[in-house]
């Protein structure tokens, strides 16, 4: 069956919530949001999803819309409660990254010196708290040496090396999962460094390494699994009929 | 009280907390009233939106304490970005959860609250005054998030009575009650002042967010959160926000924006906004980058549309 790169990314994102249990799925970006919904419809029916505003939804409004557009509300989650929930650990995130280094340190705050950045980005937002409280995965729709850098300018999301040296409280609940990109799925080896777990169909290990600004172990890299026929149907007919995914990952 | 009375009560150098979240239920009429004063040297504490951008553009801010500054449907406020990139203001950038811990500490009159957020991250580097604290019970060590105590808090709600009992009718209280308790004085603006007995006539008692105990003055300001949202009374004025963000990127356009919308009083502002919409204001004036373009260094792609709108 034919499928697109975006659809491979959605199923790879979906797989990050496999076995997560009854936790709040926090998803930033189209592919992660579609992935969380697909996970809930397939392997992880207990997953808790929000409308991105103040409600948890047992049935969701269309992708990208809030409870005002329909669906079934099952609980109240105003902003203040998000921080309570994440500190209980019953949450799992997939966030974006403007920069990532080999240990999974993530930057979304600023480019250059934080005192006077050459480019102010969106700020650390919740990344420092997320990464020391529950599992965090990253989504990079443009795998390039610009994102995967030797060292990030501002550590927003905490990487494996920084968690190890940050004391017992920083380590205790720190858990980085995988990095899903438009080319590959990366995970972390025993040394805490990123490596290639799988390349998407049609992509080579060498291509991924060339688009990464630090050495990346490709030994043992497999091929990212293809979406099943049922997953494709759900993605196309239920989760994202407007194909917002193909705007994030063209082709 | 009147907007003028409110504005004259703010001293230069004050630490001012501003409620709401991003481009939502910001006390914009109070902010505009501050813009009309000669007060400067402020420390602004905010989960920021255009409140921060406007005060920075007007040169009123010496120090900015924030969890983020975003217009929601537009990732960054251009005035905030310019202030950061020119080094015009001192800043304290915190994780959002740390910021809330700081509000809670201030509201409880504690000097800090321990939190796991920030450990291992450059939040500790960017805020060299931050300290950690050892647990007296085990071998863990936490960030000691300092109280974000304020001289004055500004918040906007849907309804209030004349005594300062305030009510929100939308789905999210944000952190406005914490701001009120974390400040020595709190000024509350609202869409409508109603008799006390009317507050719970059609709304549950849980919608009463702040008590008069923590409110110094109340100002009735219809559309006082414009152009941010104040649901269910009104949504964000996206066209006007695009106009604001577009103008903020260009000095000449910004002078025209100030001339059109910020020179007069609040009634003049409302009239000018009505004129903008009557003229078919669609916003942006063809300036790229307002809503659509997403550059690689603009932040992670996708954070501004689909998915969660919080950290």
């Amino acid at each position: 069956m034919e499928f697109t790169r975006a659809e491979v990314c959605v199923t790879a994102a979906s797989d990050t919530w496999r076995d997560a249990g009854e936790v709040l799925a926090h998803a930033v970006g189209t592919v992660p949001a579609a992935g969380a919904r697909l996970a809930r419809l397939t392997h992880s029916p207990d997953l808790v999803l929000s409308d991105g505003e103040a409600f948890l939804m047992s049935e969701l409004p269309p992708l990208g819309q809030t409870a005002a557009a329909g669906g079934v509300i099952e609980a109240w989650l105003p902003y203040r409660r998000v921080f309570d929930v994440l500190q209980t650990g019953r949450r799992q995130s997939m966030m974006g990254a403007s920069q990532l280094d080999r240990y999974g340190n993530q930057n979304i705050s600023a480019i250059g010196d934080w005192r006077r950045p050459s480019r102010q980005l969106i700020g650390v937002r919740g990344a420092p708290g997320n990464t020391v409280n529950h599992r965090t995965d990253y989504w990079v729709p443009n795998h390039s040496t610009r994102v995967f850098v030797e060292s990030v300018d501002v550590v927003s999301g905490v990487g494996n090396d920084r968690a190890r040296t940050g004391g017992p409280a920083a380590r205790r609940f720190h858990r980085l999962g995988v990095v899903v990109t438009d080319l590959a799925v990366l995970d972390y080896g025993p040394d805490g460094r990123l490596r290639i777990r799988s390349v998407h169909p049609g992509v080579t290990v060498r291509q991924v390494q060339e688009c990464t600004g630090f050495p990346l172990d490709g030994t043992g890299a497999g091929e990212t699994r293809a979406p099943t026929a049922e997953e494709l149907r759900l993605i196309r007919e239920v989760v994202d009929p407007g194909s917002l995914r193909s705007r994030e990952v063209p082709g | 009280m009147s907007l003028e009375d409110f504005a004259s009560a703010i001293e230069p150098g004050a630490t001012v907390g501003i409620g709401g979240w991003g481009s939502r239920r910001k006390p914009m009429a109070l902010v505009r009233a501050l813009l009309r004063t000669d007060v400067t040297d402020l420390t602004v504490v905010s989960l920021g939106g255009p409140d921060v951008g406007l005060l920075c553009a007007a040169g009123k801010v010496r120090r900015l304490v924030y969890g983020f500054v975003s217009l929601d449907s537009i990732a960054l406020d251009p005035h905030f970005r310019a202030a950061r990139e020119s080094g015009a203001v001192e800043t304290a950038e915190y994780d959002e959860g740390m910021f809330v811990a700081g509000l809670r500490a201030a509201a409880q009159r504690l000097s800090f609250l321990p939190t796991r957020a920030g450990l291992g991250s450059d939040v500790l580097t960017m805020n060299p005054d931050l300290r950690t604290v050892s647990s007296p019970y085990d071998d863990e060590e936490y960030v000691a998030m300092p109280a974000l105590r304020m001289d004055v808090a500004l918040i906007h709600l849907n309804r209030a009575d004349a005594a300062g009992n305030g009510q929100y009718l939308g789905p999210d209280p944000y952190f406005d009650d914490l701001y009120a308790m974390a400040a020595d004085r709190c000024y509350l603006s609202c869409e409508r002042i109603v008799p006390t007995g009317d507050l719970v006539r059609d709304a549950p008692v849980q919608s009463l967010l702040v008590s008069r105990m923590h409110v110094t003055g109340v100002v009735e300001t219809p559309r006082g959160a414009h152009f941010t949202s104040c649901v269910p009374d009104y949504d964000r004025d996206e066209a006007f926000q695009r106009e604001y963000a577009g103008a903020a990127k260009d000095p000449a356009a910004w002078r025209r924006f100030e001339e059109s919308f910020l020179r007069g009083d609040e009634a003049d502002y409302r009239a000018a906004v009505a004129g903008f919409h009557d003229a078919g204001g669609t916003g942006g004036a063809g300036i790229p980058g307002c809503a659509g373009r997403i550059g690689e260094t603009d932040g992670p792609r996708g954070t501004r549309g689909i998915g969660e709108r919080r950290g």
Side-chain angles (χ1 to χ4, degrees):
Chain A
M1 196 162 182
E2 292 288 306
F3 50 84
T4 66
R5 179 71 57 79
E7 287 159 349
V8 172
C9 293
V10 170
T11 50
S14 157
D15 283 344
T16 66
W17 281 285
R18 201 179 279 275
D19 303 321
E22 198 159 12
V23 302
L24 178 63
H26 170 239
V28 183
T30 301
V31 162
R37 283 165 183 249
L38 183 64
R40 158 85 159 259
L41 292 170
T42 53
H43 50 73
S44 297
D46 287 341
L47 218 52
V48 177
L49 299 179
S50 93
D51 73 333
E53 302 276 339
F55 302 108
L56 299 180
M57 310 293 295
S58 68
E59 283 176 38
L60 284 149
L63 191 64
Q65 297 195 42
T66 67
V72 176
I73 294 167
E74 63 175 346
W76 184 49
L77 191 81
Y79 286 114
R80 61 179 60 202
R81 282 197 150 174
V82 173
F83 304 110
D84 297 334
V85 170
L86 80 86
Q87 291 182 92
T88 71
R90 300 207 72 80
R91 187 172 184 251
Q92 183 177 312
S93 285
M94 179 174 263
M95 303 182 71
S98 303
Q99 292 179 325
L100 267 178
D101 72 13
R102 70 188 70 195
Y103 288 104
N105 291 293
Q106 169 244 33
N107 176 21
I108 50 173
S109 174
I111 300 296
D113 183 349
W114 59 266
R115 293 171 198 83
R116 186 173 174 174
S118 58
R119 192 82 172 142
Q120 175 67 37
L121 309 177
I122 60 173
V124 298
R125 303 269 344 209
N130 292 352
T131 44
V132 296
N133 276 297
H134 56 66
R135 174 171 165 171
T136 305
D137 302 277
Y138 293 112
W139 160 239
V140 176
N142 48 337
H143 195 134
S144 67
T145 52
R146 210 166 156 183
V147 175
F148 290 93
V149 293
E150 196 56 53
S151 89
V152 303
D153 293 332
V154 178
V155 174
S156 307
V158 178
N160 289 321
D161 56 339
R162 296 283 288 253
R164 280 173 193 176
T165 57
R171 280 196 296 278
R172 191 163 172 201
F173 303 116
H174 181 266
R175 188 177 162 213
L176 298 182
V178 299
V179 181
V180 177
T181 81
D182 57 337
L183 300 180
V185 178
L186 314 180
D187 64 5
Y188 303 87
D191 56 358
R193 296 187 189 195
L194 281 170
R195 61 186 183 187
I196 305 173
R197 173 189 281 186
S198 65
V199 292
H200 298 340
V203 179
T204 64
V205 166
R206 191 191 168 111
Q207 199 182 338
V208 174
Q209 288 167 329
E210 281 171 355
C211 291
T212 305
F214 48 82
L216 199 56
D217 183 5
T219 334
E223 185 173 272
T224 312
R225 77 174 179 91
T228 66
E230 175 61 3
E231 283 174 325
L232 283 176
R233 185 190 70 77
L234 287 167
I235 292 170
R236 292 169 185 176
E237 294 175 19
V238 181
V239 171
D240 184 25
S243 198
L244 297 170
R245 63 191 178 280
S246 62
R247 284 192 229 162
E248 202 165 58
V249 182
Chain B
M1 70 194 303
S2 70
L3 280 172
E4 291 69 30
D5 291 341
F6 152 74
S8 65
I10 309 301
E11 311 85 12
T15 296
V16 180
I18 304 178
W21 170 282
S23 199
R24 299 153 194 252
R25 219 175 63 215
K26 283 287 174 180
M28 297 298 284
L30 299 184
V31 169
R32 285 186 286 267
L34 273 186
L35 296 179
R36 293 191 287 272
T37 68
D38 52 11
V39 167
T40 57
D41 212 26
L42 298 175
T43 293
V44 171
V45 179
S46 185
L47 294 163
D51 51 333
V52 167
L54 282 166
L55 289 167
C56 283
K60 304 230 169 267
V61 183
R62 181 179 63 80
R63 184 158 187 269
L64 189 57
V65 180
Y66 61 95
F68 61 84
V69 180
S70 172
L71 302 176
D72 292 340
S73 53
I74 298 172
L76 273 179
D77 181 290
H79 288 309
F80 162 72
R81 171 169 255 171
R84 286 284 289 137
E85 293 172 7
S86 70
V89 293
E90 292 173 39
T91 55
E93 178 175 310
Y94 296 116
D95 167 89
E96 295 164 11
M98 291 176 77
F99 185 96
V100 173
L103 286 183
R104 290 193 191 280
Q108 295 168 31
R109 301 187 296 177
L110 295 169
S111 44
F112 72 92
L113 273 175
T115 175
R116 191 171 270 110
L119 291 171
S121 80
D122 274 341
V123 172
L124 297 176
T125 319
M126 291 195 289
N127 301 281
D129 295 341
L130 275 176
R131 297 285 176 264
T132 56
V133 60
S134 299
S135 164
Y137 301 109
D138 52 34
D139 65 348
E140 300 219 342
E141 190 164 78
Y142 301 106
V143 174
M145 178 61 201
L148 297 175
R149 191 72 205 174
M150 308 147 194
D151 298 311
V152 189
L154 318 181
I155 60 175
H156 184 80
L157 295 174
N158 301 89
R159 305 284 180 269
D161 68 9
N165 295 301
Q167 177 177 48
Y168 76 111
L169 298 174
D172 203 316
Y174 309 120
F175 301 89
D176 289 0
D177 49 338
L178 287 178
Y179 279 95
M181 293 188 284
D184 295 338
R185 289 174 290 147
C186 173
Y187 294 95
L188 160 64
S189 62
C190 64
E191 291 299 310
R192 198 142 56 82
I193 291 179
V194 299
T196 306
D198 285 0
L199 286 170
V200 292
R201 180 167 296 167
D202 301 311
V205 71
Q206 298 94 314
S207 63
L208 296 172
L209 186 65
V210 297
S211 150
R212 61 188 169 85
M213 280 183 283
H214 300 295
V215 174
T216 310
V218 190
V219 193
E220 186 178 61
T221 58
R223 297 191 71 76
H226 184 273
F227 50 92
T228 71
S229 63
C230 185
V231 293
D233 290 310
Y234 46 89
D235 289 324
R236 185 182 307 126
D237 187 340
E238 296 285 1
F240 193 86
Q241 175 161 288
R242 283 195 295 276
E243 182 77 7
Y244 163 81
K249 289 176 183 170
D250 172 64
W254 183 248
R255 279 194 297 279
R256 288 196 298 277
F257 184 95
E258 287 185 302
E259 205 55 52
S260 304
F261 299 107
L262 302 175
R263 284 281 173 256
D265 62 14
E266 187 67 9
D268 295 329
Y269 175 81
R270 284 200 297 270
V273 171
F276 166 79
H277 286 293
D278 287 347
T282 50
I287 295 165
C290 284
R293 184 190 64 87
I294 300 169
E296 277 194 8
T297 59
D298 248 359
R301 212 166 358 166
T303 51
R304 59 180 78 181
I306 314 300
E308 302 280 331
R309 295 186 184 88
R310 50 198 167 198

